Amino acid sequence: MVNSASERDADIRARIQQHWEASERGDIDLEHAIYAADAILDYPQSRERFSGRSRIQAQRGGHPAERHFTIRRILGHGDLWVSECVITYDGAPSYSLSIMEITDGLVTHETQYFADPFPAPPARAALAERIPARDQ
């Protein structure tokens, strides 16, 4: 039995990590085991909402692209967790931020944002440094 807040957080973080690893492997059942039956998934950029674990799973299962998931980091505490990911669709990276609201150990609401990479403007070159690669 998980008792302390830190133990609950460690358990949730491990389950989120397992979710993303299952996504990478194409294990659609384990990928969606983290969602409550009545979970909601929002994609604000396309203004789509998917209600219920079965609809969330169905829309992801029908994706025609070859997908790969790289987790840059997972941060959170209690009932709010954020995953920063790079999702590669047919070889093209898309940066993704997933915000998961957790109730009783299950995702009840997830909002996912996507952004395509873009070249840095030359005018900022003297001010910027490269973000180092993360291994996770």
Side-chain angles (χ1 to χ4, degrees):
M1 183 169 166
V2 179
N3 295 322
S4 73
S6 62
E7 287 175 324
R8 283 191 299 276
D9 284 351
D11 180 61
I12 290 170
R13 187 188 192 294
R15 295 190 68 227
I16 293 170
Q17 181 74 37
Q18 182 181 48
H19 159 78
W20 292 115
E21 290 170 358
S23 298
E24 172 62 21
R25 288 191 315 273
D27 183 341
I28 199 158
D29 290 329
L30 186 56
E31 175 184 3
H32 293 89
I34 196 168
Y35 293 98
D38 61 349
I40 294 170
L41 170 63
D42 287 337
Y43 292 155
Q45 290 160 291
S46 63
R47 300 185 51 87
E48 293 175 286
R49 170 170 281 179
F50 302 93
S51 297
R53 181 190 315 124
S54 62
R55 285 188 179 195
I56 295 168
Q57 185 171 347
Q59 69 87 17
R60 286 185 176 151
H63 203 290
E66 179 183 331
R67 298 180 301 164
H68 294 284
F69 297 80
T70 302
I71 305 310
R72 293 183 51 87
R73 61 184 162 170
I74 299 170
L75 302 170
H77 174 72
D79 62 357
L80 187 62
W81 290 80
V82 176
S83 299
E84 181 183 348
C85 315
V86 178
I87 305 174
T88 305
Y89 296 97
D90 291 334
S94 182
Y95 294 84
S96 175
L97 190 67
S98 167
I99 302 168
M100 293 180 168
E101 298 171 45
I102 310 285
T103 303
D104 297 327
L106 296 172
V107 174
T108 54
H109 190 184
E110 179 180 15
T111 303
Q112 235 177 342
Y113 296 92
F114 299 91
D116 292 332
F118 58 88
R124 294 196 306 234
L127 303 172
E129 58 189 75
R130 300 286 295 170
I131 296 174
R134 293 182 190 228
D135 294 329
Q136 274 195 2

